[in-house]
Amino acid sequence: MTNTPSKNQSESNPPRILLWVGIILIAIFCLAPVLWQVLTSFKINDAITAIPNVYIPTPNQLTLDHYLSLGGIFARYVFNSALVSFTSTLVCLAVGAPAAYTLARLKIPGENIILGCILIISLFPYVLLFLGLLEIIKAVGLGNNYLALIIPYTAINLPLTILVLRSFFQQLPKDLEDSAKVDGYNTVQTLLKIVLPLTVPALVTTGILTFIFAWNEFIFALTFITREEMLTIPVAVARIGGASAFEVPYGPIAAATVVGTLPLIILVLLFQRRIVQGITAGAVKG
């Protein structure tokens, strides 16, 4: 006697197949530009400019010259971006977490007005602050200084950090903090020893967003930093030029973008679980 599939199983197979087909197509659509950029960084110049396009290069069409052409100075650019991004992220979290906890748990006068101002500032296009910041940096002599980037990046990301962390703090059971007060903890101790350890996913998620903004920011980095050894990756990539004014160095640009994106990919992969927890926290009650 042969087993025949049930009616429910036969009806559920087509939707499942369509689901996987959709997932594969979306993945290809999202990853195709990335794969094309990676392939371009390894192709020789003739394969890059060939018509029709060379989608799958042969071994003799591959080279590492584009990466080698970046030179050791590019490692300095990576260090500059990492220093500015990590510092601004840490300062943003160090200032934003206490501020968010204060707005979430402590009753202060004018709380709604403060929240409204923070929301307005977070929606304000930061590019419009460019000329004012430029005059301030010239006045205080912060040009060609890492602080010229760290301070604006922190200020721009701080409102969003406060709003996101405040929503997470509000979701925590208040009984935990009441128990801490019974045990003799003050507000600062409660924040450091009870609240923050429970909101690590939120801190990681917010920190990743802040870090990515600082890593990719271009306009401020282009204007406030002019010394070659202090450039960040976006500016360094934009300054890559060919042998003549009419040559576009596609290979070195692709190699530079791959090198500049790799630290972000590693960072996201390392904190992948925390990021997912931070995004999904509070989505389901109970």
Side-chain angles (χ1 to χ4, degrees):
M1 184 175 180
T2 59
N3 294 328
T4 57
S6 64
K7 184 178 180 181
N8 292 335
Q9 289 178 340
S10 61
E11 289 179 353
S12 63
N13 284 335
R16 184 179 293 273
I17 294 173
L18 291 176
L19 175 63
W20 279 105
V21 170
I23 292 174
I24 293 172
L25 291 177
I26 292 174
I28 293 174
F29 178 79
C30 295
L31 293 178
V34 179
L35 294 176
W36 182 255
Q37 194 77 344
V38 173
L39 284 175
T40 302
S41 69
F42 286 104
K43 291 182 191 176
I44 61 176
N45 291 329
D46 291 340
I48 294 175
T49 58
I51 299 176
N53 291 326
V54 178
Y55 294 101
I56 303 177
T58 59
N60 61 344
Q61 292 178 319
L62 299 177
T63 181
L64 292 175
D65 291 344
H66 301 316
Y67 288 93
L68 297 176
S69 67
L70 298 179
I73 187 63
F74 205 80
R76 177 71 184 186
Y77 302 148
V78 175
F79 170 79
N80 294 336
S81 291
L83 176 63
V84 171
S85 301
F86 272 117
T87 305
S88 64
T89 299
L90 291 177
V91 174
C92 201
L93 292 177
V95 176
Y101 183 72
T102 301
L103 292 172
R105 286 291 192 255
L106 306 181
K107 300 301 180 181
I108 58 176
E111 178 181 349
N112 292 332
I113 297 176
I114 296 174
L115 286 174
C117 293
I118 293 175
L119 181 60
I120 292 173
I121 294 173
S122 66
L123 298 175
F124 196 80
Y126 75 91
V127 178
L128 300 181
L129 305 173
F130 170 70
L131 292 178
L133 283 174
L134 180 60
E135 293 299 324
I136 293 174
I137 287 175
K138 288 167 59 178
V140 299
L142 280 181
N144 287 323
N145 191 310
Y146 291 123
L147 290 177
L149 299 180
I150 293 173
I151 295 175
Y153 292 170
T154 303
I156 290 170
N157 287 299
L158 193 56
L160 180 62
T161 301
I162 293 174
L163 292 175
V164 172
L165 291 180
R166 176 180 176 271
S167 65
F168 279 96
F169 291 153
Q170 287 180 323
Q171 295 168 6
L172 292 177
K174 203 168 183 181
D175 294 341
L176 295 173
E177 298 161 67
D178 294 336
S179 300
K181 291 179 181 179
V182 172
D183 292 336
Y185 284 19
N186 57 33
T187 303
V188 176
Q189 291 173 327
T190 302
L191 174 64
L192 296 178
K193 296 182 179 181
I194 304 297
V195 176
L196 291 184
L198 293 175
T199 55
V200 170
L203 294 172
V204 172
T205 304
T206 309
I208 292 292
L209 295 176
T210 303
F211 184 90
I212 291 175
F213 169 83
W215 186 274
N216 293 329
E217 201 282 324
F218 178 75
I219 296 178
F220 292 170
L222 175 66
T223 308
F224 300 159
I225 302 293
T226 57
R227 291 174 56 183
E228 181 70 23
E229 65 274 13
M230 296 183 66
L231 297 180
T232 58
I233 286 180
V235 180
V237 172
R239 290 193 175 188
I240 294 177
S244 66
F246 304 99
E247 179 184 355
V248 180
Y250 294 108
I253 290 176
T257 54
V258 171
V259 173
T261 308
L262 193 59
L264 294 179
I265 296 175
I266 295 174
L267 189 66
V268 172
L269 291 178
L270 288 176
F271 295 99
Q272 174 181 324
R273 183 173 299 178
R274 295 293 189 182
I275 295 172
V276 174
Q277 291 175 353
I279 293 174
T280 58
V284 180
K285 285 189 175 183

